[in-house]
């Protein structure tokens, strides 16, 4: 029985990934189908626990920290200054932040962290207040968990499907935001907007939507924050999709975007084009510092306690050089054009095989719509088809991430019931500067074969960790055919 479950993934393909992107070359080792079955069983079919060396077909688990460094970045790394205080690269990075985001060092406080979530932790713990709500167009899972960990509610105000702009499906629901802010019984410390909206399908947010959200925040005297992980990709979409924006440079659009916010958190592992790094930036005089006058100092204390001296903030001098160089590349239209077109071509390759995806495609990933994928099969949401599909793809050396019924669902051990999120996606996130369309075609072919055979895809039964927080990182599964 076990063999027949895994045999569904044991098919021949016409395409294959490029050799040099392949772990076979990197690790001088080859892996058989059976090796992968054994490793996947050992990992409890949890993609996070599966050895990356076996992913010769494409590791699309995350676009975070997985970039290949450019030659310019590798060279800059050699100039990394590993001084304990005020390393040379720190000043370069501050200058680059000014150029990239259009902000002035005199007006902004910069806190470096080793990654985005530690910047979020610092911010949310500073403003922690029971019974308060932090709205967003879509909080990422760790952002959500950091808000909840600081005793607050993370509320996603997705756009209504009826009136969403199809080019900017990541927009925050302005009407819902105004209803929330105008209710004086509710406590809303800050308002967040994530660019691009990862949880909502990697979808961009329009400049018009950012302007409106920030104007509402001004009206109700609320600080407006950005989760700016993929700010450059978002600006590229604004330039190419928003009316009257095509003649402006990506850089100008980025400057306008950041001119509306009082602060932002950023994981530099995405559009910083680096393998590590994060930051929190706060405007020194803003509605935020008015409301939290001690924050600038106490966040600095927190940073010193957990990350080290403020001028390196958990990063090596080499990391800092890599980020300063990466931010230079990421805003170029040459880089962004080829990046976004790879994602689009991959998306088209999947849809040409009939695979249901979220369209239009976003900037960093293609999201397979799991509810539609299994719509004509016996699998229901509680059978976690997205987990089962990603489990079988491991056997072809491909890793995708379920961001749906399992990752964002919640199990109540008392009622034994699952509460499901709005979206049920399997995400194929493309690492930057690493893959070509030939690699992506192999992934599309394998997903396509499993789509043809979708009636044979087993259920994924969580056998450990179903009731845990952040359960997708910890759970173990068994695969089982439905009767
Ligand atoms: N915000 C967004 C929108 C993110 O996508 C992520 C990370 C974070 C914050 C946290 O940043 O990883 O540096 O601590 N997203 C990764 C992903 C993990 O795969 O989408 P971090």
């Amino acid at each position: 029985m076990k063999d027949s479950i895994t045999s569904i993934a044991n098919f021949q393909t016409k395409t294959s990934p490029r050799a040099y992107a392949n772990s076979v070359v990197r690790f001088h080792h080859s892996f058989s189908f059976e090796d992968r079955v054994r490793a996947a069983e050992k990992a409890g079919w949890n993609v996070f626990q599966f050895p990356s060396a076996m992913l010769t077909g494409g590791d699309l688990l995350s676009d975070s920290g997985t970039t290949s460094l450019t030659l310019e970045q590798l060279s800059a790394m050699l100039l990394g200054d590993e001084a304990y205080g005020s390393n040379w690269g720190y000043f370069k990075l501050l200058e680059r932040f000014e150029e990239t985001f259009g902000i002035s060092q005199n007006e902004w406080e910069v806190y470096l962290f080793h990654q985005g979530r530690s910047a979020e932790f610092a911010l949310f713990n500073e403003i922690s207040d029971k019974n308060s709500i932090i709205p967003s167009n879509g909080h990422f899972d760790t952002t959500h968990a950091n808000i909840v960990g600081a005793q607050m509610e993370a509320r996603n105000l997705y756009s209504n499907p009826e009136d969403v702009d199809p080019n900017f499906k990541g927009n925050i629901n302005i009407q819902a935001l105004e209803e929330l802010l105008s209710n004086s019984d509710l406590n809303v410390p800050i308002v967040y907007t994530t660019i691009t909206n990862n949880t909502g399908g990697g979808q961009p947010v329009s400049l018009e939507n950012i302007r409106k959200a920030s104007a509402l925040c001004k009206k109700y005297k609320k600080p407006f924050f950005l989760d700016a992980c993929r700010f450059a990709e978002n600006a590229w979409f604004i330039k190419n999709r928003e009316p009257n924006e095509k003649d402006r440079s990506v850089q100008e659009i980025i400057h306008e975007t950041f001119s509306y916010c009082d602060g932002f958190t950023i994981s530099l592992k995405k559009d910083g084009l680096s393998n590590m790094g994060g930051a929190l930036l706060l405007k020194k005089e803003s509605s935020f510092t008015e409301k939290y006058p001690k924050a600038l100092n106490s966040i600095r204390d927190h940073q010193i306690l957990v990350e080290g001296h403020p001028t390196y903030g958990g990063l090596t001098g080499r990391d800092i050089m890599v980020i300063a160089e990466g931010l230079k590349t990421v805003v170029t239209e040459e880089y962004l054009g080829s990046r976004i077109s790879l994602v689009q071509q991959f998306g088209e390759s999947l849809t040409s095989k009939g695979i249901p995806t979220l369209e239009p495609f976003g900037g960093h990933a293609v999201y397979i719509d799991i509810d539609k994928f299994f719509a004509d099969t016996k699998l229901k949401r509680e059978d976690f088809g997205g987990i089962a599909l990603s489990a079988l793809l491991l056997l072809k050396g491909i890793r995708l991430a379920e961001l749906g019924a399992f990752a964002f669902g919640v199990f109540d051990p008392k009622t034994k019931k699952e509460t499901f999120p709005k979206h049920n996606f399997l995400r194929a996130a493309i690492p930057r500067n690493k893959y070509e369309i030939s690699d992506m075609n192999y992934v599309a072919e394998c997903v396509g074969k499993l789509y043809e055979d979708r009636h044979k895809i087993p259920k994924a039964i969580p056998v450990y960790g179903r009731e845990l927080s952040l359960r997708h990182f910890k759970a173990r599964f068994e695969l089982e055919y439905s009767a």
Side-chain angles (χ1 to χ4, degrees), residues 323-336:
I323 298 163
E325 189 58 43
L327 287 172
K328 210 157 91 184
T329 303
V330 82
V331 297
T332 62
E333 285 165 32
E334 292 78 6
Y335 162 79
L336 283 169

Side-chain angles (χ1 to χ4, degrees), residues 62 115-117 120 140 194 198 227 229-230 267 270 427:
S62 179
Q115 66 181 97
R117 67 198 67 188
E120 293 163 3
F140 183 64
T194 309
N198 189 5
D227 174 339
C229 293
R230 300 177 180 86
S267 164
K270 285 83 171 170
R427 185 186 73 172

Side-chain angles (χ1 to χ4, degrees), residues 134-140 143 147 154-160 164 168-174 176-177 180 190-206 209-210 213 224-228 234 422-423:
I134 303 199
S136 169
N137 57 335
H139 289 293
F140 183 64
T143 319
I147 294 171
R155 192 174 291 182
N156 290 335
L157 306 178
Y158 296 120
S159 295
N160 288 326
V164 69
F168 293 100
K169 286 187 176 173
N171 284 354
I172 196 165
N173 185 328
I174 293 291
L177 181 61
L180 189 72
I190 60 175
V191 173
Y192 242 77
T193 281
T194 309
I195 52 174
T196 57
N197 189 339
N198 189 5
T199 304
Q203 296 290 312
V205 179
S206 70
N209 190 256
I210 293 171
F224 180 60
F225 274 66
L226 293 172
D227 174 339
N234 200 72
K422 181 169 189 268
H423 301 297

